[in-house]
Amino acid sequence: MRFVVISALLACSHSTQPATTPAAPAPAPASSAAPAAPAASPGLAPQLFTVEQLRAGNPKGRTIEIRMEADGKPTTIEHWVFTAVDADQATIHAITRDEAGKVISDAVGTSTWAELHKHGQFPAAATTIDDNVSITVPAGTFTTRLYTVKTGEATRRVWFAADLPGPPVQFTTEQGGKVVLRAQMLRAR
C-alpha cells in the first residue's frame, strides 16, 4: 500500500493555469518555470510534466524523504531511493520509519513511467490552480503551483515545485475544515 502512495506522489505534477481559476482540460501557455505538457484527457486537469520530464527528473540514486502526519496515527518518515531506472520504468526502494527511526516497512516496487504519471491526475472541474505560491518546508523554500482539489467534504492542497519533477513538496487533506493529513518534503537530492 505504501508503494501506491509513493507512485501517486511521484507522478503528481500539474500544469500552469492562471491564478485562482478552475483547471481546464487543455494546458495554458508555459511559463518560464516549466515547459508545456500535452493536453490532458477530457475531464482531467492537465499535468505540468510529461512522462519524459518525470523520468529525467528522477534518475537512479535520487533520494526523497517525506514526513507524513495523519490525524490519529503516529508520524512516519518515508525514505525513497530510485534504485534502477530505464526508459520504461523506475524501481523505488521505500523505507518507512517512525519518528524514533525504527523501521516500520521496507519494500521495493517497480512501475512504468506512464503508470507513475497517470497517478497524478486530478478532475479538472474540482481543481483550482494558483501560480507562484512560496512555501517553506524542511527541504527548503520553493516557488510552487498550489493545486486545490475539492471533492465532497474533502479538500486536498498540493504544492509542486515547477523545477522539481516528482512528488509535491507539501500536501494536505482537510475534512470539515480540519487538516487530517499533512506531508512535507524533508529533503530531495
Side-chain angles (χ1 to χ4, degrees):
M1 187 54 113
R2 291 274 182 199
F3 192 70
V4 171
V5 172
I6 293 167
S7 298
L9 292 174
L10 290 173
C12 291
S13 302
H14 305 280
S15 81
T16 304
Q17 295 289 322
T20 319
T21 58
S31 72
S32 60
S41 299
L44 297 175
Q47 292 178 263
L48 175 59
F49 297 108
T50 65
V51 171
E52 293 77 18
Q53 292 162 329
L54 183 64
R55 179 178 37 245
N58 294 283
K60 180 179 178 179
R62 181 166 190 214
T63 302
I64 301 166
E65 282 188 348
I66 294 181
R67 179 178 40 243
M68 304 283 287
E69 301 168 304
D71 200 26
K73 295 183 180 179
T75 297
T76 59
I77 308 298
E78 303 281 339
H79 180 88
W80 311 331
V81 178
F82 285 76
T83 58
V85 298
D86 63 27
D88 299 318
Q89 62 188 15
T91 300
I92 302 165
H93 182 196
I95 300 172
T96 302
R97 293 184 170 90
D98 66 15
E99 287 186 288
K102 180 182 175 190
V103 174
I104 297 169
S105 68
D106 188 333
V108 176
T110 300
S111 292
T112 67
W113 293 109
E115 289 168 340
L116 292 172
H117 191 255
K118 285 181 184 178
H119 287 200
Q121 296 176 334
F122 293 154
T127 303
T128 302
I129 302 170
D130 294 299
D131 283 327
N132 300 315
V133 176
S134 182
I135 188 169
T136 300
V137 297
T141 299
F142 299 91
T143 299
T144 68
R145 291 188 178 99
L146 169 60
Y147 299 82
T148 303
V149 183
K150 295 184 180 186
T151 51
E153 298 285 321
T155 301
R156 284 188 352 179
R157 289 187 173 82
V158 187
W159 290 259
F160 293 98
D163 60 349
L164 194 61
V169 295
Q170 178 170 280
F171 67 89
T172 62
T173 300
E174 295 176 23
Q175 293 278 351
K178 178 183 177 189
V179 175
V180 296
L181 174 68
R182 178 184 315 278
Q184 288 187 320
M185 187 175 286
L186 301 176
R187 72 181 175 121
R189 63 171 176 81

